[in-house]
Amino acid sequence: MPAAARATTEAGQAARLRNAYRALLRIRRSSRIRQVFWYTWLSPDRDSPNSFSWSGLRRLGPAGTDAPVDKPAMAEFRRIAAHLGSHRHHHRHHGAR
């Protein structure tokens, strides 16, 4: 995929994360998907042509401080994880598989 096609905004990254997890959830049983990991938690998000330098759920803050800052994708990831955690807990305690 060309770099231009991967380019997005922080809000776009959150939407892509949400859509990817929804798609994986739809096929998880038929494809035997047990776990999905988001590999990059923190990325510099500055001065790099490498798309992985922008893929974190958090980014480094302003130069000089580098304090981690949550991106909208982090909130989306937390929402999905909380939903899946409560769904798993419900099924485990009600005998569903």
Side-chain angles (χ1 to χ4, degrees), residues 3-4 6 8 10 18 27-28 32 41 45 49 63 66 84:
R6 290 188 306 265
T8 190
E10 288 187 0
R18 179 178 51 253
I27 64 167
R28 73 181 181 273
R32 298 182 179 183
W41 286 90
D45 283 27
D66 288 339
L84 292 174

Side-chain angles (χ1 to χ4, degrees), residues 84-97:
L84 292 174
S86 67
H87 184 73
R88 174 181 278 178
H89 177 78
H90 173 78
H91 282 276
R92 191 178 321 135
H93 290 285
H94 289 84
R97 289 183 159 200

Side-chain angles (χ1 to χ4, degrees), residues 1-14 16-17 38 48-55 71:
M1 178 184 299
R6 290 188 306 265
T8 190
T9 63
E10 288 187 0
Q13 179 192 24
R16 287 178 178 185
L17 181 145
W38 191 270
S48 176
N50 182 342
S51 60
F52 289 102
S53 294
W54 302 85
S55 62
K71 293 168 37 176

